[in-house]
Amino acid sequence: DAKTTQPPSMDCAEGRAANLPCNHSTISGNEYVYWYRQIHSQGPQYIIHGLKNNETNEMASLIITEDRKSSTLILPHATLRDTAVYYCIAAGGTSYGKLTFGQGTILTVHP
Amino acid sequence: NAGVTQTPKFQVLKTGQSMTLQCAQDMNHEYMSWYRQDPGMGLRLIHYSVGAGITDQGEVPNGYNVSRSTTEDFPLRLLSAAPSQTSVYFCASTPVGLHYGYTFGSGTRLTVV
């Protein structure tokens, strides 16, 4: 799996967009970018994933650069309940199903 | 549709004891995995399975055994518990073929004294 790099922590004001960056400069052509989050000590929750096109669902948007070396997860209107650890993971091909979690980004949403 | 169910939620073991952490899913997912999470750390893969009868080791398999006799169940066995196995254990499942995200259980919090 390609290694990903994320900032250890970020802050965001409630109601504003939260933009969480991820660097995956060694990602291979068949690896997807996945985003998960973990609220307090609960099990991780899948958010979104993409290969090379930008993706959007009811939770978030994923913007992947054209060279696929980095991506940004966007929570368009952050709420206090979005405070969590966010993990960016590159996986696919022969490593499909084997997720490698790094330290993630602790996102704190302030009132 | 219960998703991924883990039992027990909490467990205290004495060093040297053995036990089985249960994991069951009702979504007919082929892939299932076990992770452990130590305080302040990310999750680490212990074992995974791509279908009934097929298992493989992850990053930290020592001290753990798994089997996959059915699609639904993927138990994790601790052979001889050690304090270093004190952790939170998460089970997860996902379909194969299409790139969906994993569904995780709520975890088992294990303390070995």
Side-chain angles (χ1 to χ4, degrees):
Chain A
D1 293 350
K3 179 178 173 60
T4 62
T5 305
Q6 301 176 250
S9 64
M10 294 184 66
D11 291 330
C12 178
E14 189 177 21
R16 303 298 294 269
N19 297 286
L20 289 84
C22 179
N23 182 289
H24 32 80
S25 57
T26 62
I27 194 169
S28 61
N30 61 357
E31 286 185 313
Y32 284 67
V33 179
Y34 292 86
W35 283 85
Y36 287 79
R37 72 180 183 184
Q38 188 173 26
I39 297 173
H40 197 42
S41 54
Q42 299 175 19
Q45 177 189 24
Y46 164 78
I47 301 173
I48 198 168
H49 74 278
L51 184 62
K52 54 184 179 181
N53 296 323
N54 298 337
E55 302 287 346
T56 296
N57 63 20
E58 66 278 4
M59 290 183 66
S61 295
L62 174 60
I63 308 298
I64 303 174
T65 58
E66 191 170 346
D67 63 8
R68 301 211 325 124
K69 292 185 177 181
S70 65
S71 61
T72 301
L73 177 74
I74 302 172
L75 307 178
H77 305 288
T79 71
L80 299 179
R81 288 175 294 180
D82 292 322
T83 292
V85 180
Y86 287 77
Y87 297 100
C88 169
I89 300 167
T94 56
S95 67
Y96 176 71
K98 296 167 61 177
L99 302 179
T100 300
F101 286 80
Q103 296 294 313
T105 296
I106 301 172
L107 175 68
T108 304
V109 181
H110 298 284
Chain B
N1 189 335
V4 177
T5 302
Q6 291 185 238
T7 56
K9 294 190 183 303
F10 300 93
Q11 183 70 48
V12 178
L13 286 180
K14 293 182 178 179
T15 297
Q17 286 185 318
S18 63
M19 79 159 294
T20 299
L21 279 61
Q22 301 291 344
C23 176
Q25 53 93 6
D26 60 357
M27 299 171 284
N28 203 33
H29 288 173
E30 293 88 350
Y31 276 86
M32 296 187 73
S33 303
W34 276 103
Y35 292 84
R36 61 175 287 175
Q37 185 173 33
D38 300 325
M41 304 285 289
L43 284 74
R44 291 184 293 170
L45 181 64
I46 305 172
H47 285 285
Y48 67 100
S49 169
V50 301
I54 306 170
T55 64
D56 205 348
Q57 297 180 350
E59 179 186 357
V60 288
N62 292 341
Y64 307 95
N65 272 357
V66 292
S67 60
R68 185 95 179 271
S69 57
T70 67
T71 299
E72 294 78 17
D73 300 299
F74 191 41
L76 178 71
R77 282 181 286 276
L78 279 69
L79 308 174
S80 178
S84 61
Q85 294 179 303
T86 293
S87 190
V88 181
Y89 292 84
F90 290 103
C91 178
S93 72
T94 189
V96 72
L98 296 176
H99 289 268
Y100 292 110
Y102 266 104
T103 299
F104 282 80
S106 57
T108 293
R109 283 148 183 81
L110 176 68
T111 302
V112 183
V113 298

